[in-house]
Amino acid sequence: MDDSGYRGAASRVDREDLQWHFAARPSDIAKLPEGRRKTAVQEREHRQASVRAKVEHPFRVIKRQFGLMKVRFRGLAKNTAHVVTLFALSNLWMARRQLMAMVGQSARKQHEARDRGQEPSKNECRARQSHPALHDHARRANVSTLFRPSLVVEH
């Protein structure tokens, strides 16, 4: 499954055992007569584009947010470790809104309990003990500093 930018690759590679699958050009789809076949082609292209977008998004995050344009180290092991770390960070970067919302909800529940004069639950106390910095930042409504890439990766 490749995008339409690879359409000429089959003519440049001299191998009989390869089968190439390219995205259809929008103009080729528009030329098809209305009917089941056109609808099926449009749905297939939409599914392929959706998968491609999900796969390429972490690479965009690594390149733009964390600045990886070329490898920094010599040796496969060091570069592999670096890239794996960057992919883990890109997962956190892409989930930052959900994570901040969860931290904010936890802090909000604690404040509401304190306002009512109630003690926080044991789970909330454990969470605060295990991650005090997260809860302090959430309490100050300054959670976004936790996910600033410059704090995680040195440039």
Side-chain angles (χ1 to χ4, degrees):
M1 172 175 62
D2 292 322
D3 60 25
S4 58
Y6 294 95
R7 292 183 71 91
S11 63
R12 291 189 295 270
V13 177
D14 295 329
R15 283 183 52 185
E16 298 292 326
D17 59 339
L18 287 180
Q19 184 177 7
W20 297 88
H21 300 281
F22 302 110
R25 290 183 182 142
S27 60
D28 292 342
I29 295 173
K31 291 176 188 174
L32 292 173
E34 294 296 327
R36 283 189 205 170
R37 184 164 181 261
K38 184 174 184 174
T39 305
V41 169
Q42 286 172 332
E43 289 173 359
R44 186 185 72 218
E45 293 298 323
H46 181 75
R47 279 193 311 272
Q48 288 179 346
S50 176
V51 169
R52 190 179 310 114
K54 288 176 184 141
V55 169
E56 289 180 359
H57 188 239
F59 289 96
R60 181 254 178 223
V61 170
I62 287 174
K63 287 177 76 172
R64 299 292 178 216
Q65 303 307 125
F66 299 116
L68 182 74
M69 294 296 165
K70 52 186 169 181
V71 295
R72 184 181 302 177
F73 308 109
R74 267 192 199 184
L76 285 174
K78 288 185 242 179
N79 283 314
T80 301
H82 187 227
V83 169
V84 167
T85 304
L86 288 176
F87 273 108
L89 288 171
S90 75
N91 286 338
L92 287 173
W93 178 260
M94 290 184 287
R96 69 189 183 280
R97 288 191 181 108
Q98 293 90 349
L99 292 170
M100 289 189 298
M102 289 181 347
V103 170
Q105 288 173 357
S106 175
R108 194 174 332 119
K109 286 180 185 177
Q110 288 178 2
H111 291 300
E112 289 172 0
R114 284 190 199 127
D115 291 344
R116 290 190 303 259
Q118 298 173 346
E119 292 294 320
S121 71
K122 289 181 183 179
N123 289 337
E124 290 172 352
C125 290
R126 281 190 205 122
R128 184 167 175 77
Q129 289 169 356
S130 63
H131 301 292
L134 286 176
H135 293 279
D136 289 342
H137 280 290
R139 189 190 57 191
R140 293 184 196 122
N142 194 9
V143 180
S144 62
T145 60
L146 289 173
F147 298 102
R148 193 175 310 147
S150 62
L151 296 176
V152 180
V153 178
E154 295 180 14
H155 295 283

